[in-house]
Amino acid sequence: MKQLIASFAGNRVLANLLMAIILLAGVGAACLMIREDFPSMKFDMISASISWDGASPTDIEEGLALKIEDAIDGVEGIKTYGTTSSEGELSTTITVKKGYDPQSVYDRVKNKIDQISTFPDSAKKPVVTTPTILFPVVTLGVSGNLDERGLKELATTIKDELKESANISQVFVAGTRDYQVNVKISEEMLRKYGLTLNGISSTIAASSLNLSGGRIKTRGEEFTLRTAGKRYTARELAHIVVIPGAKGEAITLGQLATITDGFTDEEVSIKADGGPVAMVNVSKTSKEDAILIADAVKGYVAKRNQSLEPGASISILADNTLEIRSSMNILVKNGFMGLVLVFAVLWLFLDTRLAFWAGMGIPISLSG
């Protein structure tokens, strides 16, 4: 150790060069450091879910759960797995063994599940995911002289605009009900045409589908065929033919029923400043910087409020970066005060040069 110190003392250029490298590298690392209030966490878990509308837990168990368990049983890297069958829904949770790469295990599990070809036709496609941890950053409130649909549409527009920012990727609308199209048919109409509610429901489901038609390959190109037949609004559903006519006198759903665009029946009531509000939650992943996201959101809010229609406004309901900024300010302030005090005390008993270089030990150590 004495020889190392002596070598640095005898070679000022090497010592100064090393100090400069440590300082520059430390400043660069500080600029690239992700600022957040919670440390990143990692779950070695995989989840798989399948929806099957109208199926009982017993049907789910026999038609879905057993097939998934047989497919993933014996996959390398799986520690434990469990399935939960409920009304119309299957959920499978898989735990990865310690020492295995969760992404590799996820790929193997997904391939096994995607290869299952004996699922019921009415069951939806399996969704295999790895848990993603999101940290809340900013919550916006959208309010104004708008009805429920207007608030939801404005909040959705804001969400899409925020996602266009390079620093923002996780935006969600909350505090609003989901869209729902209501179809009401009187008993008189059902009797008149000899129809049933189940029959009409099946007709609507069969007439509102997006279908894949495969691929067409040529020498230079490849085309994907897809039929977009999904209907989302009351106007689109009204044109569904329920009773085909032999001579063109087809009867549509709009002639039989009252169809309206509305919302689900769940009760949602969120208010701010005494009025209804739709919330837009901006979150971050473990690799994104909370301060950059908050600054981008604040800049967007200030600019977007100027172009909103009269009576509508966007406000910041919560900013979780305030504590981060406060902690950083305290850290910088205390560090600066400590450096000044160390220099002042040493300067009283030593000469200025020795006090300066002794005080430089603080920023150099922190940079390292």
Side-chain angles (χ1 to χ4, degrees):
M1 181 61 70
K2 291 182 179 180
Q3 293 179 353
L4 181 63
I5 296 175
S7 63
F8 276 110
N11 192 339
R12 297 181 181 179
V13 176
L14 178 60
N16 291 334
L17 182 61
L18 180 60
M19 179 190 67
I21 292 175
I22 292 175
L23 285 173
L24 291 175
V27 171
C31 294
L32 297 175
M33 187 180 297
I34 295 176
R35 292 166 291 184
E36 56 188 358
D37 52 353
F38 293 103
S40 58
M41 294 178 288
K42 186 177 181 181
F43 289 111
D44 295 337
M45 297 179 63
I46 301 170
S47 63
S49 61
I50 306 178
S51 297
W52 186 5
D53 294 337
S56 65
T58 302
D59 296 333
I60 296 288
E61 177 72 18
E62 297 175 355
L64 302 178
L66 294 178
K67 295 176 181 179
I68 287 184
E69 291 176 356
D70 291 340
I72 65 176
D73 190 32
V75 172
E76 184 180 2
I78 292 181
K79 181 180 180 181
T80 59
Y81 63 84
T83 58
T84 302
S85 302
S86 58
E87 188 76 25
E89 186 75 25
L90 168 71
S91 177
T92 302
T93 302
I94 302 167
T95 305
V96 181
K97 282 183 180 179
K98 187 176 181 180
Y100 282 83
D101 180 21
Q103 184 61 42
S104 299
V105 179
Y106 165 81
D107 293 336
R108 289 194 286 268
V109 169
K110 191 174 189 306
N111 289 335
K112 287 290 186 180
I113 295 179
D114 288 343
Q115 291 174 5
I116 301 175
S117 59
T118 56
F119 285 138
D121 295 335
S122 55
K124 295 183 179 179
K125 186 177 179 180
V127 178
V128 184
T129 59
T130 54
T132 301
I133 305 173
L134 299 179
F135 303 93
V137 179
V138 180
T139 299
L140 302 179
V142 183
S143 58
N145 300 325
L146 301 171
D147 57 10
E148 184 177 6
R149 181 175 295 274
L151 281 177
K152 185 177 179 66
E153 291 176 352
L154 179 56
T156 303
T157 301
I158 292 171
K159 179 194 75 171
D160 296 336
E161 293 175 351
L162 284 171
K163 279 191 171 183
E164 294 177 1
S165 173
N167 297 318
I168 301 174
S169 64
Q170 308 296 325
V171 189
F172 308 94
V173 176
T176 61
R177 295 187 293 175
D178 294 331
Y179 290 120
Q180 177 176 283
V181 180
N182 301 312
V183 180
K184 296 181 179 180
I185 305 177
S186 65
E187 185 177 353
E188 181 181 354
M189 280 291 184
L190 294 176
R191 291 179 177 177
K192 180 178 179 180
Y193 293 99
L195 301 173
T196 62
L197 291 177
N198 290 335
I200 294 177
S201 177
S202 300
T203 301
I204 295 174
S207 303
S208 180
L209 293 172
N210 291 331
L211 300 176
S212 176
R215 297 180 178 179
I216 297 178
K217 293 184 178 180
T218 63
R219 292 183 177 180
E221 294 180 294
E222 181 176 335
F223 301 93
T224 300
L225 300 181
R226 184 171 179 269
T227 301
K230 192 74 173 178
R231 305 174 192 243
Y232 297 96
T233 64
R235 179 178 296 181
E236 294 173 345
L237 289 175
H239 294 91
I240 294 178
V241 176
V242 179
I243 304 176
K247 298 182 180 180
E249 308 91 355
I251 298 178
T252 63
L253 184 64
Q255 295 173 302
L256 296 174
T258 301
I259 310 173
T260 57
D261 292 316
F263 297 91
T264 56
D265 295 333
E266 59 183 341
E267 293 293 333
V268 177
S269 179
I270 300 179
K271 294 185 177 181
D273 297 330
V277 63
M279 295 192 302
V280 179
N281 296 320
V282 184
S283 303
K284 65 176 288 295
T285 63
S286 60
K287 297 182 179 181
E288 294 175 333
D289 188 280
I291 301 295
L292 292 178
I293 292 175
D295 291 341
V297 172
K298 291 178 181 178
Y300 168 83
V301 171
K303 184 178 180 180
R304 190 67 170 86
N305 272 326
Q306 299 176 0
S307 60
L308 289 176
E309 61 182 74
S313 65
I314 309 173
S315 58
I316 298 178
L317 301 180
D319 182 1
N320 294 323
T321 64
L322 295 178
E323 294 184 0
I324 302 176
R325 297 178 194 270
S326 177
S327 299
M328 291 176 58
N329 290 335
I330 293 174
L331 179 65
V332 173
K333 182 179 178 181
N334 290 349
F336 179 76
M337 291 177 60
L339 179 60
V340 171
L341 289 174
V342 168
F343 175 80
V345 171
L346 292 176
W347 179 72
L348 290 175
F349 300 97
L350 303 173
D351 60 40
T352 304
R353 184 178 180 183
L354 288 176
F356 173 78
W357 286 113
M360 283 297 294
I362 295 177
I364 293 174
S365 300
L366 291 176
S367 297

